Amino acid sequence: MYSLRIVQNVLQKKLHLKLSAPVLGGLRQTSHSHDKSRELEPPNADATTETLMDLHGRRHDYLRISLTERCNLRCQYCMPAEGVSLSPRARLLSFAELMRLARVFAALGVGKVRLTGGEPTLRADLEEVVRALRGLPGVRTVAMTSNGLALARRLPALQRAGLTHLNLSLDTLRADRFERMTRRPGLAKVLACIDVALQIGIRPLKINTVLMKGFNDDEVGDFVEFTREREVEVRFIEFMPFAGNEWAAARMVPERAALAAARAAAGTGLRRAARAARGDTATLWEVAGHAGRVGFVSSMTRPFCGGCNRLRLTADGSLKVCLFGAAEVSLRDAVRAGASDDDLAALVRAALRRKHPQHAGMKSGDIVQGSNRPMILIGG
């Protein structure tokens, strides 16, 4: 197992620790007891001496944390129709474990954290998580990606807790299509959430729209119009392959087609916006007279891997250095086996050294053949 091998290499060879059979078993089974007093220890000062640089010169200062595997929608591009098997509660990170790992990442130079899921609003302690993350030295922004279904009433409290950025997933502006895509009703609630977010001053407010041929690719113009009076950034995202989402190249709307549709809707008023900052995934365009703008996230046809600064921590505590790669390192297992903060930092660096320059070493057309998790079990 990839995660177990790395844990053994670091804890046994690099750090010269003798791992007993019970401890090695604990690396496989995560429900055993562990020393909770270690969870709240601050990172060792030695862990702050290096930033997270991979072998391709990319500095990683952005951590996406999945707070839960559960979701109140069943989006076709995210979850198989039959659903997914959820991890037992004991295999998920506790609040203390999550915060300990977040502190280690912050000490290694991570300044931006994004909370994902599943659906993060299903966490009862979401405000507490946001507040604790904003309190970490070095963490400048705490963002969240949500489907918006149950978010509107919690937004003011989340903003007070320190939420700085928000992305909302919305793939259609038509109620019947919304229910078909998500396998649940709820468009009106998402639109109400957008209004609340704008009213309380959350900026930037980004709308993530996954385009699929024959489903919603005829709504590009409607989304362009949606930005006329609303200060939002609609980001058209290419359909990406994950386990169980029935990806096919024929269903993907490439950036060039989406951009052509936006041009057809906006005419000569569409112009390229300022260049994105390092690590940004979207190419941005402005429409004359519109309060908002549109962008294109083209992971498949125009990969932006050369500027990737992202790491992902799944709800069950696995580190993924690439969204498309199946390889993972279980930081949860290491924590519960007694790893120190320096040990955890070494595990992160070891995983990062294995990061490929693009798409986990695969060509874009081969990604679907991999054994990656469903998107909902990774975190968006």
Side-chain angles (χ1 to χ4, degrees):
M1 181 179 176
Y2 181 63
S3 59
L4 176 59
R5 184 174 70 250
I6 292 180
V7 172
Q8 287 174 304
N9 286 344
V10 174
L11 295 184
Q12 192 168 20
K13 295 180 181 179
K14 179 177 175 64
L15 301 172
H16 309 294
L17 295 179
K18 183 178 180 181
L19 302 184
S20 64
V23 172
L24 288 177
L27 293 176
R28 297 184 181 90
Q29 304 295 329
T30 61
S31 60
H32 69 284
S33 61
H34 57 288
D35 182 1
K36 294 182 181 295
S37 66
R38 297 181 63 89
E39 295 175 345
L40 299 179
E41 293 177 358
N44 187 298
D46 292 341
T48 67
T49 58
E50 297 179 40
T51 56
L52 294 173
M53 193 79 70
D54 68 11
L55 297 181
H56 310 285
R58 297 172 297 194
R59 178 169 164 263
H60 292 68
D61 57 3
Y62 179 8
L63 177 66
R64 300 173 73 98
I65 300 175
S66 175
L67 294 181
T68 178
E69 297 176 345
R70 296 178 297 128
C71 189
N72 45 8
L73 295 179
R74 296 291 183 271
C75 297
Q76 294 181 28
Y77 54 79
C78 183
M79 183 186 294
E82 66 275 12
V84 295
S85 297
L86 301 178
S87 300
R89 186 180 183 87
R91 293 184 62 82
L92 302 178
L93 290 174
S94 68
F95 176 85
E97 289 169 338
L98 173 62
M99 291 311 304
R100 182 184 172 197
L101 291 173
R103 279 192 290 272
V104 169
F105 278 102
L108 291 170
V110 167
K112 178 179 180 179
V113 175
R114 176 171 294 277
L115 303 176
T116 68
E119 171 50 40
T121 59
L122 297 184
R123 283 277 298 241
D125 61 350
L126 180 57
E127 290 83 358
E128 184 180 358
V129 171
V130 171
R131 187 176 297 108
L133 289 170
R134 277 303 304 273
L136 293 178
V139 173
R140 302 180 303 276
T141 66
V142 175
M144 183 172 69
T145 297
S146 170
N147 60 34
L149 203 64
L151 177 59
R153 63 181 178 82
R154 299 181 70 174
L155 262 180
L158 287 166
Q159 188 182 46
R160 290 193 297 270
L163 186 73
T164 58
H165 296 71
L166 178 64
N167 287 29
L168 293 174
S169 298
L170 181 62
D171 303 309
T172 177
L173 296 171
R174 305 180 189 183
D176 58 334
R177 286 185 176 179
F178 182 94
E179 187 165 351
R180 178 180 159 199
M181 168 63 81
T182 67
R183 305 182 180 106
R184 299 288 189 276
L187 176 61
K189 293 181 178 180
V190 181
L191 295 176
C193 183
I194 293 173
D195 290 340
V196 170
L198 292 173
Q199 288 167 10
I200 66 175
I202 291 183
R203 303 290 191 281
L205 179 59
K206 298 178 181 179
I207 309 299
N208 292 342
T209 302
V210 177
L211 291 178
M212 299 172 65
K213 282 184 182 177
F215 176 72
N216 63 346
D217 54 330
D218 60 344
E219 290 189 65
V220 171
D222 295 337
F223 276 105
V224 171
E225 181 62 26
F226 191 76
T227 69
R228 181 181 295 276
E229 304 295 337
R230 300 173 183 85
E231 193 179 344
V232 298
E233 180 183 305
V234 175
R235 308 194 314 164
F236 298 112
I237 301 174
E238 290 180 343
F239 185 28
M240 293 178 284
F242 294 95
N245 74 347
E246 299 180 359
W247 183 90
R251 301 182 69 192
M252 184 187 71
V253 180
E255 177 186 350
R256 63 180 182 277
L259 180 56
R263 282 198 175 109
T268 58
L270 185 68
R271 60 181 180 270
R272 185 72 179 267
R275 290 184 62 85
R278 182 187 70 86
D280 285 353
T281 59
T283 57
L284 300 177
W285 295 74
E286 298 172 336
V287 183
H290 285 217
R293 55 187 182 175
V294 297
F296 301 87
V297 179
S298 310
S299 304
M300 303 301 294
T301 63
R302 291 166 55 94
F304 36 80
C305 304
C308 183
N309 63 344
R310 292 160 176 74
L311 298 168
R312 286 175 167 80
L313 184 65
T314 64
D316 61 359
S318 289
L319 171 67
K320 291 178 72 73
V321 297
C322 179
L323 175 64
F324 292 108
E328 300 178 354
V329 179
S330 180
L331 299 182
R332 175 206 63 199
D333 287 354
V335 167
R336 296 181 184 183
S340 69
D341 292 321
D342 284 344
D343 300 342
L344 295 170
L347 284 173
V348 173
R349 291 195 184 99
L352 198 53
R353 285 196 297 271
R354 292 167 172 79
K355 186 167 183 174
H356 291 272
Q358 180 175 315
H359 285 170
M362 296 177 284
K363 296 179 180 179
S364 296
D366 297 332
I367 294 175
V368 72
Q369 304 300 324
S371 56
N372 207 359
R373 302 190 194 201
M375 185 59 153
I376 192 170
L377 298 183
I378 297 174

